[in-house]
Amino acid sequence: MAFGAQPVRTWPGLAAAALVAAVMLAALVAVALRAETGAGLGAQDWSAIRFTVLQAALSALFSVALAIPVARALARRSFPGRGLLITLLGAPFILPVIVAVLGLLTVFGRGGWLNALLGLAGLPPVSIYGLHGVVLAHVFFNLPLATRLILQGWQEIPAERFRLAAQLGAGPREIWRLLERPMLARTAPGVAALIFAICLTSFAVALTLGGGPKATTIELAIYQAFRFDFDLGRSALLALVQIVLTLAAATLALGVSARGGFGAGLDRVVQRWDARTPGLRALDAGLILAAALFLLAPLAAIAAAGLPGLLHLPEQVYMACLVSVFVAAVSTILLLCLALPIALAAARMPLVEQAGLLGLAVSPLVLGAGLFLLINPVASPFALALPVTALVNALMALPFALRILTPKAREEVDRHARLAATLNMGAWGFFRLVLLPRMRPQIGFAAGLAAALSMGDLGVIALFADPETATLPLQIYRLMAAYRMEAASGAALLLLILSVTAFWLCDRGGRHAAP
Amino acid sequence: MLRLDNIRVDNGGFFLDADLGVEPGASVAVIGPSGAGKSTLLGAIAGFHPVVRGRILWGGTDITHDTPGQRPVAMLFQDGNLFPHLTVSQNVGLGIRPDLRLNVAEEDRVRDALLRVGLRTLGERKPAALSGGQQSRAALARVLVQKRPLLLLDEPFAALGPALKAEMLDLVAALAREAKATLLMVSHDPNDARRIAEQVILVAEGRAEEPAPTEELLDNPPPALRDYLG
């Protein structure tokens, strides 16, 4: 923007970004100082590191390998409900992990639907616990993400290329070689690296489906060192390992991909001339059905399993429910207070956005461990469990919120700053009269994501909570650990309803603005 | 009196020099080839481009370093003159109080201005619900309530058809006359200049010339202008 025409102040954003960076760095320094490097890593720690890398690699591999045929089917077929299905592919982002885990248990668990079928066929039952359970849950969460990203790659192939290929008489095989394989060579490694990085910091899935010496992630090991042994030094050392791994994976992911996660315009179907054979049609239909079933069955399962329990939930569930709503509300407000100023500052100085992205490089449990170490000398960390949870949730949602808010803020500033300057609107007037109303849909969407993520989060709260305190996800975990599956399923259904409602309310609130 | 005292304007590496004066109440067209610096000249006066040499004086006061909002300037751009999410009345009201906290008397001024530009009944509409000509009128209503003595037009009517554009120019000229405002307008079309401007500033090859009488200049153009007019 030109000289003199600056109705946007950058200092609030710079201050917010500095605050975020300071909290993150303080936590990291606390962890680094407390880490007992003298003892070195034990056999258990090495096993946790190996398992973390292995499960993340397998999750990335399976998610991408399965996403490629599904994305191709979606890219070249148009059918009723296609738009809805693609929207649903975005839903796992706001789906609480614990809810999905319970859903997967209902379908794939010991007494689940799959084993019932296998039993009918006279086959031995499968177990969902351990490595394959963890990978299954990660694929459930990341297959949709991979499908969306790869579908985007498909749709970025210009329609003219397909026309030209058809004109040259290219069949499916030639199109694969000419157009599709080069596109996948560009996109798939980035998607795999992204999923690898996401799964490295997996906690709730490992907590519920993993565990034991053979299936413990580093995040879970940090938690166990903390909760069971209260070995702060070892837990800090593990956190240090996690930081190194996360940074390495983030660098890898950034290195091989530069594309964003919130792709728009997926509702277009490119006309294709090569895939009209009945065989390919049946193949694509089968793939789409299988993918939809894989995604929807656990959700249907949790609805079916939870409904009977929903009416007579234990007392603690209602308390936890109130706590979760409160934490999510505080976290969402906190997020907006940080994200809005940072987005506005980033509209003018792109570097500011990087501070918010720090949340991607620091895992929740590492941040939690760092904050615990910082708080411990001055106050009881357990007393601060809920504020810390709200803060960590807000910091973790910040990178996503900035991805949503910053481009819109930049657009509005570019478009209206000159006029606002000649009218002498001032920074506050421009914010109140132009930015706030113009950015309402984005603010609502970001707030909805933050509220849903916080509502469903089972991470740092597990580290901080005393037995009397629990958010709803933690309460569900406790019910599961006590084998009260009906109550757990009922509470999970309640949590699912709460998360979706929180997202829906914020998002609608943004879109139903006056203009 | 607007005086550009031997200024050099920096528009992101493009430089424009000007050393000229404009009489109070004059209507002046700014003409020249594309890319010569017409918009840069207006942008400098409005405070959007830094002046790296010389001074801009208004009535003897140095305004070179004032922010755009502090200058005695109302400006209409090529597009984006109205906020799309505010009603026409609110857009006009911004010209009186940029925080939109208007009292009853100020609301009346908004209504009068809308009446003057012929939009009496359309105050509650959003800009998108107006035609192109009506949008121009709404922007002019705001210029009217701003009561700034210097009015800068950077081709705000370029997207309108010839008849509508002529109508708008006549309205601008009338409003400027009533308010005794000084008018500077960028134009591609010599006929616009003949229609409402007594004087023309020729901008060519990175330099803005002293205003010259319109008829004289257009009937007997110097080489730079002749090339442009064809």
Side-chain angles (χ1 to χ4, degrees):
Chain A
M1 205 45 232
F3 152 84
Q6 303 291 15
V8 175
R9 297 217 192 295
T10 45
W11 66 261
L14 290 174
L19 187 72
V20 169
V23 171
M24 301 267 188
L25 291 179
L28 291 187
V29 169
V31 161
L33 290 180
R34 194 69 174 75
E36 276 164 17
T37 45
L41 294 164
Q44 264 188 16
D45 304 329
W46 278 112
S47 137
I49 295 171
R50 270 195 306 275
F51 178 76
T52 303
V53 174
L54 176 68
Q55 59 82 16
L58 288 176
S59 304
L61 185 72
F62 282 117
S63 298
V64 171
L66 294 171
I68 289 172
V70 177
R72 183 176 60 181
L74 283 170
R76 64 188 186 188
R77 302 292 166 201
S78 108
F79 52 92
R82 181 179 179 275
L84 183 69
L85 183 61
I86 290 173
T87 306
L88 271 177
L89 290 179
F93 194 80
I94 60 162
L95 180 68
V97 175
I98 190 91
V99 173
V101 165
L102 272 165
L104 289 169
L105 279 174
T106 314
V107 177
F108 299 100
R110 192 169 308 147
W113 298 355
L114 180 68
N115 279 332
L117 282 177
L118 289 176
L120 285 181
L123 292 167
V126 294
S127 163
I128 193 180
Y129 293 99
L131 176 65
H132 46 282
V134 170
V135 172
L136 177 75
H138 285 161
V139 171
F140 174 79
F141 272 100
N142 292 302
L143 173 62
L145 173 68
T147 306
R148 276 178 75 106
L149 289 174
I150 292 173
L151 178 59
Q152 206 175 329
W154 239 289
Q155 305 211 310
E156 279 164 11
I157 301 178
E160 297 75 31
R161 301 270 172 82
F162 285 109
R163 207 172 55 196
L164 178 61
Q167 213 272 316
L168 295 171
R173 200 181 307 248
E174 288 79 16
I175 287 199
W176 167 255
R177 205 163 45 81
L178 278 173
L179 301 175
E180 297 176 330
R181 201 174 59 190
M183 180 278 293
L184 286 171
R186 270 200 326 275
T187 46
V191 177
L194 177 69
I195 293 172
F196 180 76
I198 293 172
C199 294
L200 269 189
T201 59
S202 173
F203 171 71
V205 166
L207 178 71
T208 45
L209 295 177
K214 277 194 189 150
T216 298
T217 58
I218 302 173
E219 291 279 280
L220 185 56
I222 295 173
Y223 164 79
Q224 287 168 345
F226 236 103
R227 294 296 292 198
F228 303 152
D229 314 329
F230 206 70
D231 187 346
L232 295 183
R234 180 155 163 266
S235 143
L237 181 63
L238 285 163
L240 212 52
V241 173
Q242 179 72 287
I243 293 165
V244 173
L245 268 183
T246 320
L247 279 178
T251 317
L252 178 78
L254 286 177
V256 289
S257 81
R259 59 184 68 245
F262 293 99
L266 296 178
D267 50 352
R268 192 170 56 93
V269 181
V270 176
Q271 198 177 350
R272 296 274 295 259
W273 292 267
D274 61 301
R276 292 184 170 170
T277 62
L280 287 177
R281 270 173 210 249
L283 173 71
D284 284 351
L287 283 167
I288 290 167
L289 263 176
L293 197 66
F294 178 57
L295 295 177
L296 293 176
L299 291 181
I302 202 64
L307 218 46
L310 194 59
L311 293 175
H312 29 86
L313 288 168
E315 184 93 10
Q316 315 97 292
V317 169
Y318 291 111
M319 266 313 294
C321 181
L322 282 179
V323 169
S324 271
V325 170
F326 175 71
V327 168
V330 172
S331 179
T332 306
I333 292 166
L334 204 56
L335 170 91
L336 289 180
C337 291
L338 292 171
L340 268 175
I342 295 180
L344 293 186
R348 279 179 46 198
M349 354 177 130
L351 222 68
V352 182
E353 198 181 348
Q354 306 306 316
L357 297 183
L358 278 174
L360 291 178
V362 183
S363 73
L365 267 278
V366 168
L367 188 56
L371 291 176
F372 192 103
L373 293 170
L374 285 174
I375 294 168
N376 204 23
V378 286
S380 159
F382 301 110
L384 292 174
L386 298 182
V388 168
T389 302
L391 173 69
V392 171
N393 287 345
L395 291 178
M396 290 298 141
L398 188 57
F400 303 106
L402 288 177
R403 280 294 264 287
I404 297 164
L405 294 173
T406 309
K408 180 67 175 168
R410 192 169 292 144
E411 182 193 324
E412 291 303 324
V413 171
D414 283 350
R415 211 146 149 223
H416 299 301
R418 258 191 342 176
L419 178 56
T422 64
L423 294 171
N424 212 8
M425 264 185 160
W428 174 241
F430 188 61
F431 180 74
R432 187 172 61 90
L433 291 172
V434 180
L435 291 175
L436 221 46
R438 306 273 313 155
M439 292 178 65
R440 255 185 90 144
Q442 285 74 25
I443 293 172
F445 184 47
L449 284 185
L453 285 177
S454 176
M455 191 81 78
D457 178 60
L458 175 54
V460 78
I461 183 69
L463 209 57
F464 276 69
D466 56 42
E468 275 74 56
T469 320
T471 57
L472 190 49
L474 182 59
Q475 189 58 52
I476 295 171
Y477 172 65
R478 285 178 182 166
L479 289 171
M480 277 172 74
Y483 296 103
R484 296 177 59 189
M485 292 314 268
E486 193 185 90
S489 298
L493 182 57
L494 181 64
L495 176 59
L496 178 62
I497 293 168
L498 280 178
S499 290
V500 172
T501 308
F503 174 78
W504 185 82
L505 280 178
C506 294
D507 192 41
R508 275 295 123 144
R511 284 188 213 191
H512 275 236
Chain B
M1 167 96 181
L2 173 72
R3 170 98 220 131
L4 307 182
D5 190 2
N6 193 23
I7 62 167
R8 165 163 285 196
V9 186
D10 179 0
N11 182 3
F14 168 81
F15 293 97
L16 176 75
D17 294 328
D19 186 21
L20 56 89
V22 176
E23 293 301 322
S27 288
V28 184
V30 179
I31 282 191
S34 337
K38 301 185 294 290
S39 296
T40 305
L41 179 69
L42 262 61
I45 298 169
F48 292 114
H49 304 305
V51 172
V52 293
R53 187 190 68 206
R55 296 183 306 163
I56 301 176
L57 300 166
W58 174 256
T61 314
D62 187 345
I63 59 166
T64 319
H65 300 290
D66 289 1
T67 64
Q70 291 168 336
R71 299 187 184 213
V73 171
M75 184 161 179
L76 291 184
F77 308 99
Q78 221 165 60
D79 45 34
N81 288 305
L82 299 171
F83 290 112
H85 62 290
L86 300 179
T87 65
V88 169
S89 292
Q90 286 175 314
N91 267 294
V92 175
L94 286 172
I96 301 176
R97 289 201 57 157
D99 61 3
L100 271 186
R101 300 203 167 92
L102 303 185
N103 61 29
V104 179
E106 287 164 338
E107 302 264 13
D108 284 344
R109 274 179 61 202
V110 170
R111 257 192 299 281
D112 290 346
L114 286 175
L115 186 65
R116 176 65 188 84
V117 299
L119 295 180
R120 190 172 57 88
T121 56
L122 302 180
E124 292 318 303
R125 293 221 189 149
K126 296 277 170 66
L130 300 184
S131 70
Q134 288 170 331
Q135 290 179 3
S136 300
R137 286 171 186 275
L140 282 174
R142 193 186 57 227
V143 167
L144 196 60
V145 299
Q146 274 184 284
K147 288 196 178 159
R148 302 282 177 93
L150 186 51
L151 175 53
L152 307 181
L153 305 186
D154 190 0
E155 301 194 84
F157 312 130
L160 304 180
L164 203 50
K165 187 166 80 169
E167 194 184 319
M168 285 303 140
L169 287 174
D170 291 345
L171 181 58
V172 167
L175 294 176
R177 235 183 347 263
E178 283 168 33
K180 300 192 173 59
T182 308
L183 173 67
L184 255 70
M185 67 165 197
V186 168
S187 178
H188 273 114
D189 185 350
N191 293 325
D192 293 354
R194 287 185 200 270
R195 191 168 188 100
I196 68 163
E198 315 85 78
Q199 291 178 309
V200 165
I201 291 175
L202 176 63
V203 180
E205 289 154 6
R207 203 178 155 73
E209 304 294 342
E210 193 74 48
T214 307
E215 300 294 329
E216 219 170 279
L217 191 77
L218 291 179
D219 292 343
N220 201 354
L225 184 58
R226 199 170 328 135
D227 291 348
Y228 168 63
L229 294 175

